[in-house]
Amino acid sequence: MRPLQLIGRFVLSFLAATGQLVLFAASALGHCVRPPFYARSIGRQLIDIGYYSLPVVGLTAIFTGMVLALQSYTGFARFSAESAIATVVVVSITRELGPVLAGLMVAGRIGASMAAEIGTMRVTEQLDALTTLSTNPMKFLVAPRLIAGVLMLPALVLVADIIGIFGGYLVAVYKLGFNPATYLRNTIDALQTQDVVSGLVKASAFGFIITLMGCYQGYTSKGGAQGVGAATTNAVVSASILILCFDYILTELFFAR
Amino acid sequence: MIDTPPAKIRIRGLHKAFGRKQVLDGLDLDVGRGESVVVIGGSGTGKSVLLKCILGLLHADAGSIQIDGEDVTNLGANQREAVSRKFGMLFQGAALFDSLPVWENVTFGLLAQHKIMRREARDKAIDKLALVGLGADVADLFPAELSGGMQKRVALARAIATDPEIVFFDEPTTGLDPIMADVINNLIIKTTREVGATALSITHDMASARKIAHRIAMLYQGRIIWAGPVAEIDRSGDERVNQFIHGRAEGPIQMAVRA
C-alpha cells in the first residue's frame, strides 16, 4: 500500500498545484485586459525587464555567436564545408539560442527578483495592505509584470539576434580569416523571416512564463525569509524548465511537417 | 448586553478552520457606531484571523458578518471593494510599501480611489503626517529609513488618510517601547474618537487596551468569552479573564509550553 499511497499523494498534489497555477494565470490574464491599468507600474517594469537586462542578454548573445562560429568551423573543416558557418550561426541564433538563452538569463534575473519582491510583500502583509487600500494586488503587481514581460522579451531577443550574429561575424572574419563581404552575403542569404519571427514569438511566450512563475511563486509564498527563499528558487527553476519544455512544443508547432 | 441597532459591525456565529485546527468557533461580536472595541486574547487564539475575515482577506467557513446592516460575508470582488472603502487598517508590522516614499504610502488609498490628483498628493500627505506628529521632512524618505515607531505612525497616517468609517488596529503597540506605545495609543484615540470613527483593535497589551477601548472583549478558544465596558473588566468574575489581564501563568488557561 505504502508506495501506491506515495504515488497517489504525489499525483494529487501535482494536479492541485497545476490547477492552482492555471487559475492564477487565468485571473492574471483577465486583469491584464480589464481596466484600470497602472501605467506607471507598467512603465517601471518595461524599463526593469527591457533596459536593465540588456547587458546580461547582450553578453550572453555575443559569446554564444562567437563560440558557434568557432565550433562549427572546427567541425565543418573536416568536410571542407566552412562556407556553411554563416548559415549555422544565423539559423541557430534566430531560431533557438537567441530566445532560449535570453529567456534563461532573464528568468534568473527577473523571475528571481519578482518572486523575492512579491514574496516579501506577502510575508510582510503588504499584499493585504494593498487590498485594504482599494487596490487589487493582481492588477497592481502581477498584470504590469506580465504585460512588460510579454512585450519586452521579443525586443531583447531581437537585440540578442543581432549581437549574436555579429559575434559570429567577428570570429569568422578576424580569427578564422573569412572574407567579410562573402560572410555578410552568406549571412543575409541565410536570414529567413520565418526563423526570426518564430524566435520572437517564442520570446513572447518565455516572457509570459518567466513573469508568471515569478509572480505566482512570490504571491503564494509563505513562512518568512525561508519561504521567500524557496519561492525565489522555485520561480527560477520552474521558469527555466517550462522555457525548455515550451521551446520544444513551439518548435514542433512552427517547423514540424 | 442589548444590541443597539444598527450596529456598525455585527458578527454572528463566525467559524473559520485551517485544516483540522478550528480557530474561530461560533464567534459573536457587535461594535456600535463610533465605539472603540478592543479584542484581547493570547497569541494564536485567532485575533488576526477575526480581523482578516472582516476585511475580506480570509473567507469565513460559516456565520455572518454585517457592516451597517449589510451582509458582507460572501461578496463579489466589486461589492467587496465598495465595502473596503469604509475600512482603514493599521497592520502589526506597519506593512508600508518599501518601494514607495512615505508621501506616496500615505496617499496610496486616496490616489487609488481617485479622491485626489497626483500633483496634490504630496501636500495632502504632509497634512496627514502632521496629524500623527510627523514633519514634512519625513515625506520624501523611504520606509526603510524610519524607526519602528515612525513606521507605525506613517502606517497610522495611511490607515486614516481616506477618512474611513471603521479603522482596524492589529497589535498597534507591539514591538514599541512603553513611551512610544503610549504615543501611538494617544494618536489612535485622537484620530478615531475625535472624528467619530468606529475602531476595532486586537492586542494583548492590557495597558493599551484599557486606554483605547470603550469596550473590551476577550477571545478564547474561538469564542468571545466575556465582553463589557473597560471599567468592568476588573470585576468580570471570570477566572480566565482575570488570569489574562493579570498575566499569570497559572490558571484555567493552560499554555502548551511543556517541552
Side-chain angles (χ1 to χ4, degrees), chain A residues 36 38 40 44 117 120-121 124-136 140, chain B residues 52 55 57 81 84-85 87 89 91-92 95-99 108-109 112-113 118 158:
Chain A
Y38 292 97
R40 300 174 67 84
R44 190 182 289 185
E117 186 180 354
T120 306
M121 291 183 79
T124 56
E125 296 187 306
Q126 288 180 51
L127 292 186
D128 289 343
L130 276 176
T131 310
T132 64
L133 293 166
S134 319
T135 304
N136 188 328
F140 184 72
Chain B
K52 288 187 172 172
L55 285 164
L57 298 171
E81 205 190 304
S84 294
R85 290 182 176 217
F87 297 158
M89 166 90 180
F91 285 87
Q92 183 177 349
L96 297 172
F97 306 126
D98 38 34
S99 59
F108 196 95
Q113 295 176 16
R118 210 177 157 77
R158 181 177 72 178

Side-chain angles (χ1 to χ4, degrees), chain B residues 52-252:
Chain B
K52 288 187 172 172
C53 284
I54 303 173
L55 285 164
L57 298 171
L58 288 173
H59 278 285
D61 299 331
S64 76
I65 300 168
Q66 292 179 3
I67 306 289
D68 290 326
E70 181 196 3
D71 195 316
V72 300
T73 323
N74 291 307
L75 286 185
N78 290 335
Q79 297 148 295
R80 166 57 66 182
E81 205 190 304
V83 174
S84 294
R85 290 182 176 217
K86 296 180 181 178
F87 297 158
M89 166 90 180
L90 175 63
F91 285 87
Q92 183 177 349
L96 297 172
F97 306 126
D98 38 34
S99 59
L100 301 177
V102 165
W103 70 266
E104 229 175 311
N105 264 288
V106 172
T107 49
F108 196 95
L110 288 167
L111 289 168
Q113 295 176 16
H114 305 291
K115 284 188 176 168
I116 55 171
M117 300 299 292
R118 210 177 157 77
R119 57 192 141 74
E120 40 180 332
R122 202 172 159 279
D123 291 336
K124 188 81 179 170
I126 290 170
D127 295 346
K128 298 288 177 186
L129 285 170
L131 290 179
V132 297
L134 292 173
D137 50 323
V138 179
D140 292 314
L141 296 177
F142 280 85
E145 300 173 277
L146 305 176
S147 70
M150 282 165 92
Q151 288 187 1
K152 270 272 161 74
R153 287 204 256 177
V154 171
L156 178 59
R158 181 177 72 178
I160 59 167
T162 53
D163 300 320
E165 295 170 32
I166 307 172
V167 193
F168 299 93
F169 299 98
D170 184 355
E171 310 266 10
T173 57
T174 299
L176 301 176
D177 68 76
I179 298 171
M180 184 54 80
D182 204 49
V183 170
I184 297 289
N185 287 337
N186 286 334
L187 287 172
I188 289 173
I189 293 168
K190 181 177 144 214
T191 52
T192 56
R193 247 179 237 186
E194 288 177 7
V195 295
T198 306
L200 178 60
S201 319
I202 58 178
T203 187
H204 45 230
D205 174 358
M206 280 314 297
S208 172
R210 286 174 195 272
K211 184 144 188 176
I212 63 179
H214 294 120
R215 218 149 54 80
I216 293 181
M218 174 145 171
L219 179 60
Y220 180 62
Q221 293 187 337
R223 292 161 185 263
I224 299 294
I225 54 166
W226 182 87
V230 180
E232 286 174 22
I233 191 156
D234 293 309
R235 294 177 269 123
S236 65
D238 189 313
E239 270 310 303
R240 295 167 296 185
V241 176
N242 286 336
Q243 186 193 350
F244 187 86
I245 64 176
H246 295 118
R248 289 192 293 253
E250 288 81 31

Side-chain angles (χ1 to χ4, degrees), chain A residues 61-67 69 89 161-173 183:
Chain A
I62 195 156
F63 285 117
T64 309
M66 284 164 69
V67 85
V89 170
D161 286 352
I162 294 166
I163 295 179
I165 291 169
F166 177 66
Y169 170 85
L170 285 182
V171 168
V173 171
Y183 187 88

Side-chain angles (χ1 to χ4, degrees), chain A residues 16-101:
Chain A
T18 312
Q20 222 183 353
L21 175 63
V22 171
L23 286 178
F24 183 88
S27 152
L29 279 175
H31 285 296
C32 285
V33 295
R34 272 176 294 150
F37 301 108
Y38 292 97
R40 300 174 67 84
S41 303
I42 297 174
R44 190 182 289 185
Q45 294 304 323
L46 285 174
I47 292 170
D48 203 26
I49 298 176
Y51 184 69
Y52 289 111
S53 298
L54 273 177
V56 70
V57 168
L59 282 170
T60 311
I62 195 156
F63 285 117
T64 309
M66 284 164 69
V67 85
L68 259 180
L70 199 56
Q71 282 282 23
S72 41
Y73 178 77
T74 53
F76 288 169
R78 287 184 222 158
F79 315 106
S80 315
E82 294 95 331
S83 59
I85 290 179
T87 314
V88 169
V89 170
V90 167
V91 173
S92 332
I93 292 272
T94 53
R95 276 196 189 186
E96 274 303 316
L97 296 171
V100 170
L101 291 179

